[in-house]
Amino acid sequence: MRAAAQPSGAIPRGRGKSGPSVDQALGLSSQQTQRRLSIATLVLAVLIFYWIPLTDAGTTLQWDAIDYHLSVQKYFGDEIRNGRAPFWTEYTYSGFPFLADPQVGAFYPLNWPFFLYGVTAEALKWELALHALLACLGVFLLALEWIESPPLATMAAMMFGFSGYFAGHSSHIGMFQSAAWLPWLLWGAHRALVRGRNSALIGAGLAGACLFLAGHFQTALYSFSALFLYAVGVAAIGKCSWWRVIRTLGGIGLLTVLLSAVQILPTYELTSQSIRAAQSYAQKTSGTLEWRAFGTLFVPNMYGSVSGHYSGPVDRSQYYLYGGILLIPLAVLGCLAKRLRWVGLMLAVPAVWYAFGPPGGLYWLIAALPGFAKVRAPIHVWFVVALALALLAAAGAEGLNRRWRVGWLAVALAGVTFCDLTFWNSLENQLAYARSSFEQLYGRREAQDAALVRQALPEGTRFHAANSSTVLGPMNGSFDERLEVTYGYNPLELKRYSEYFSAIAANPKLLGALNASWQARRSRPEAVAGTLPRFFFARNVASVPGPAESLARLASTDPAAVTLVEGAAAVTVAPSGAVAIERAEPGLYVLKFKTPQPGLVRSAIPWFPGWQASCNEKELRLRIVDHALLGFEVPAGSGEVVLQYHSTWFPLGAGISFLALFAAVFGLARTYGAGSASKAEDAPTSGG
């Protein structure tokens, strides 16, 4: 057939008057050009969205971002730059296995540039902006697996990355970071499921590992639940076989676990010894979805979250859901799109139902699954719903675009979404960042109070305050000031230590036995009566069979006179023995002792697996004393004791993760190498 004649003087499509278009010259299709322009648009959109907090020193992040994340990230970064790995720290709870805490994000790759450069309150804003961009790009790529329009995929990306979930949880750095990886996890899984690509499976495993290593277990649990639902939805509409679903989910899950073992194993040990071990939210929880919260999908200031005059449920960060005025109408239209309808509903409906908690019914069933009974606030699953709604909205908008065939409609919808979300979720939103400087909210009080405490506190003793105290500015300001304290702010506080700490109210003598010399009272520090040394020989011992009996006796025990020792083995005492600290570092004590007979040294260090004591290279026996603390038996005579903490599971976890990373990189290289070789074989030869 002959090509249709063109009008005189017309320019052929895709060409200029003098030859091929720029796109053709570069080997780009129109779709490729739109994708690149869309990615550049998303980068610019993120910078504009976060422009004020990134550039205005009169703003700061708030709440947990400062009270927890800033302090621990800064401490870890400082220690690493000084050549130390802080497996144990003395700056919270009288001592704590620092790197076993996943919320630090110590092994999360995207935190390391900040660790090495130096973590500040300003740097945390860049962490959020980086992960907002990560979330947007992930949704953009995932949406293009279902729709053809890059501008509409850009719209979906902003509906998720700039959504009320991320605005509300800007203070929860680990949660924000973990949720940003969900679309990448699903995108890799989609390509593995639909196209059968092994490289995509490995990529999804890497995304899953990053998601977990960012440090928020609940978000990781919900993300992998979403992965399961997504895979079921894809298979249900016939895009892949059920066998491929099993293979893909198993491969991603296994690779994620192996890559994350460096954090999973120490965290499991910490969790088993923490207050979370005994907690169960299977029947009763907090932070459940309320019907009125759906109003924030249409009216951003429904609860007063935007204006700051909040009137909703207790935790205001959980109940702000706004994803743009176009989100719900377009998502409803998206349910008419056969390709994405069931996948979108498969993600959204179970998550919403679960978010209602026990009253909804599904929560009881899900809480019976491993891990789910240990997490609270089911409303935190909303990021899964937000992603599903964004994808459905993109499908709905594409349906309108096809129906009306208006060339500028997709760009207009993306533009309206950007302006709408930037105004409500950044410029005006009181949840996204505080309209005061860090110095105004935290810094002045931290500097003033820390100076008072440091002036009063004798060297080698601890400062005491109530848990979650703001006496040093941020709740974990002790890390910033390098002050050894008895209190802290962490949901993984050691269970035994928590019980000891609570018993102080009924028996104040227990406080002095933590080596605390001053405490926070009223407006100035106040001396603690009866401060005991960090290490001393027990004068008398009382054997108790287990933790229940030792806890019961704490309320009436004077630690200076009697030391409670768990276990049936006999313990000798040396009342005239003497012990002194020769060298002290986090996780390491070198002690000099002298005693006429074998005795028990009682310490003010919390008991935790991994501590080892040795004298003349001979291992000493450790004992749990006074319910929560560490003791060790020494022989008669004099000598030097080395008491040191070694993470029990870190070496094994690090080894597993290293081998898994090596295997993943090797697998990717082999996959891409095979792909390049195949393309070379298929390429036409000269003169062929």
Side-chain angles (χ1 to χ4, degrees):
M1 295 180 63
R2 298 177 63 183
Q6 296 194 31
S8 176
I11 301 174
R13 180 181 300 175
R15 293 179 178 269
K17 292 183 179 180
S18 59
S21 68
V22 175
D23 289 349
Q24 290 172 325
L26 294 175
L28 300 176
S29 67
S30 175
Q31 186 79 351
Q32 287 175 314
T33 301
Q34 287 190 42
R35 288 190 179 204
R36 294 190 177 193
L37 286 174
S38 295
I39 290 173
T41 298
L42 285 174
V43 174
L44 181 61
V46 169
L47 287 175
I48 295 173
F49 188 87
Y50 284 94
W51 186 255
I52 290 180
L54 288 177
T55 60
D56 187 357
T59 66
T60 189
L61 298 183
Q62 54 195 339
W63 305 324
D64 279 2
I66 305 300
D67 284 321
Y68 180 80
H69 296 284
L70 174 61
S71 297
V72 299
Q73 283 197 18
K74 182 179 183 301
Y75 172 69
F76 180 72
D78 291 346
E79 291 293 287
I80 289 298
R81 291 197 306 278
N82 289 324
R84 296 187 294 267
F87 288 99
W88 186 270
T89 182
E90 298 285 351
Y91 302 127
T92 187
Y93 296 128
S94 299
F96 189 77
F98 184 75
L99 289 189
D101 182 3
Q103 301 167 103
V104 176
F107 305 106
Y108 176 51
L110 294 190
N111 279 346
W112 272 82
F114 299 96
F115 292 149
L116 297 177
Y117 178 77
V119 178
T120 63
E122 296 302 311
L124 290 186
K125 300 175 186 177
W126 284 99
E127 287 189 27
L128 293 188
L130 172 63
H131 285 82
L133 177 61
L134 186 72
C136 288
L137 292 177
V139 174
F140 175 77
L141 295 172
L142 180 61
L144 286 179
E145 298 292 337
W146 297 97
I147 66 173
E148 298 176 356
S149 170
L152 293 179
T154 302
M155 179 197 72
M158 291 186 290
M159 285 179 169
F160 180 71
F162 299 163
S163 68
Y165 179 89
F166 288 105
H169 290 291
S170 291
S171 62
H172 303 136
I173 304 294
M175 189 183 299
F176 195 109
Q177 292 174 332
S178 293
W181 281 101
L182 173 61
W184 290 89
L185 178 67
L186 299 188
W187 180 58
H190 181 96
R191 294 171 74 86
L193 289 166
V194 176
R195 306 187 188 188
R197 294 185 177 178
N198 290 330
S199 60
L201 188 152
I202 296 173
L206 291 169
C210 286
L211 194 154
F212 185 88
L213 292 174
H216 197 265
F217 172 73
Q218 186 174 6
T219 304
L221 193 64
Y222 293 156
S223 294
F224 281 92
S225 301
L227 172 63
F228 171 78
L229 295 173
Y230 185 89
V232 170
V234 169
I237 61 176
K239 281 187 169 291
C240 69
S241 67
W242 290 104
W243 167 243
R244 184 172 287 180
V245 168
I246 296 172
R247 173 181 172 272
T248 299
L249 292 182
I252 294 173
L254 178 62
L255 187 55
T256 296
V257 170
L258 295 178
L259 288 168
S260 306
V262 64
Q263 186 68 74
I264 289 177
L265 294 180
T267 295
Y268 178 79
E269 182 178 53
L270 171 59
T271 304
S272 69
Q273 302 292 332
S274 76
I275 55 177
R276 281 294 177 99
Q279 291 175 344
S280 175
Y281 300 103
Q283 302 297 325
K284 184 179 180 181
T285 188
S286 60
T288 57
L289 180 61
E290 299 186 0
W291 285 104
R292 190 185 170 198
F294 287 114
T296 63
L297 288 167
F298 305 95
V299 182
N301 206 35
M302 170 71 73
Y303 282 133
S305 298
V306 175
S307 64
H309 304 293
Y310 186 71
S311 60
V314 175
D315 190 341
R316 66 180 67 185
S317 68
Q318 299 175 349
Y319 296 92
Y320 183 71
L321 314 179
Y322 190 66
I325 195 64
L326 299 175
L327 176 66
I328 299 303
L330 291 178
V332 171
L333 290 176
C335 291
L336 302 177
K338 294 182 179 179
R339 287 183 299 169
L340 194 52
R341 175 197 308 160
W342 296 114
V343 173
L345 292 177
M346 181 65 74
L347 285 173
V349 173
V352 171
W353 188 4
Y354 168 82
F356 279 108
L362 181 63
Y363 180 88
W364 285 343
L365 179 63
I366 300 300
L369 298 176
F372 282 91
K374 297 298 182 183
V375 298
R376 64 171 188 86
I379 184 63
H380 287 169
V381 78
W382 187 263
F383 72 103
V384 177
V385 183
L387 177 57
L389 292 176
L391 294 175
L392 287 171
E398 187 175 54
L400 288 180
N401 205 26
R402 288 177 175 174
R403 181 181 181 87
W404 293 346
R405 298 186 181 277
V406 179
W408 48 263
L409 180 61
V411 175
L413 291 175
V416 169
T417 297
F418 170 71
C419 294
D420 180 17
L421 291 174
T422 299
F423 179 80
W424 288 112
N425 289 355
S426 180
L427 299 178
E428 294 294 313
N429 202 298
Q430 302 294 310
L431 296 176
Y433 54 90
R435 273 58 176 178
S436 299
S437 69
F438 174 82
E439 186 68 18
Q440 290 172 317
L441 288 182
Y442 302 96
R444 292 175 185 171
R445 186 171 72 252
E446 179 180 19
Q448 293 170 355
D449 292 348
L452 290 174
V453 172
R454 197 178 298 281
Q455 182 179 3
L457 197 66
E459 185 178 358
T461 62
R462 297 186 176 123
F463 179 69
H464 175 74
N467 276 341
S468 304
S469 171
T470 58
V471 67
L472 297 177
M475 291 182 185
N476 275 328
S478 53
F479 284 98
D480 305 327
E481 298 299 328
R482 298 296 195 272
L483 284 173
E484 298 185 9
V485 298
T486 63
Y487 63 94
Y489 177 56
N490 194 313
L492 293 178
E493 179 184 2
L494 298 179
K495 181 177 182 292
R496 284 175 175 265
Y497 185 82
S498 175
E499 292 168 341
Y500 183 104
F501 195 91
S502 298
I504 292 174
N507 185 0
K509 293 180 180 180
L510 297 176
L511 177 56
L514 284 180
N515 190 225
S517 60
W518 287 79
Q519 60 183 322
R521 283 290 178 90
R522 306 180 187 89
S523 60
R524 297 183 65 85
E526 179 180 291
V528 173
T531 300
L532 297 177
R534 190 161 302 185
F535 298 91
F536 63 89
F537 275 91
R539 294 174 174 81
N540 293 288
V541 297
S543 296
V544 290
E549 292 77 11
S550 63
L551 179 59
R553 294 192 58 173
L554 274 182
S556 59
T557 296
D558 180 0
V562 178
T563 299
L564 304 177
V565 182
E566 288 189 25
V571 180
T572 58
V573 294
S576 60
V579 59
I581 300 174
E582 185 175 78
R583 176 184 165 199
E585 298 175 7
L588 172 65
Y589 288 94
V590 178
L591 310 171
K592 290 290 187 180
F593 75 93
K594 184 176 182 180
T595 175
Q597 61 195 75
L600 174 73
V601 175
R602 188 263 198 202
S603 81
I605 300 172
W607 177 87
F608 190 77
W611 280 100
Q612 297 175 2
S614 63
C615 178
N616 298 324
E617 299 184 354
K618 182 179 180 181
E619 188 172 348
L620 303 180
R621 183 175 184 178
L622 301 181
R623 305 299 294 263
I624 300 175
V625 301
D626 290 342
H627 184 68
L629 305 176
L630 181 67
F632 54 90
E633 300 176 18
V634 297
S638 62
E640 182 179 89
V641 171
V642 177
L643 180 65
Q644 190 167 14
Y645 173 75
H646 298 275
S647 175
T648 308
W649 291 103
F650 172 77
L652 177 61
I656 292 173
S657 292
F658 176 80
L659 292 176
L661 181 60
F662 177 83
V665 172
F666 177 79
L668 287 175
R670 184 176 180 181
T671 300
Y672 283 117
S676 300
S678 177
K679 289 180 180 179
E681 291 176 0
D682 294 340
T685 59
S686 176

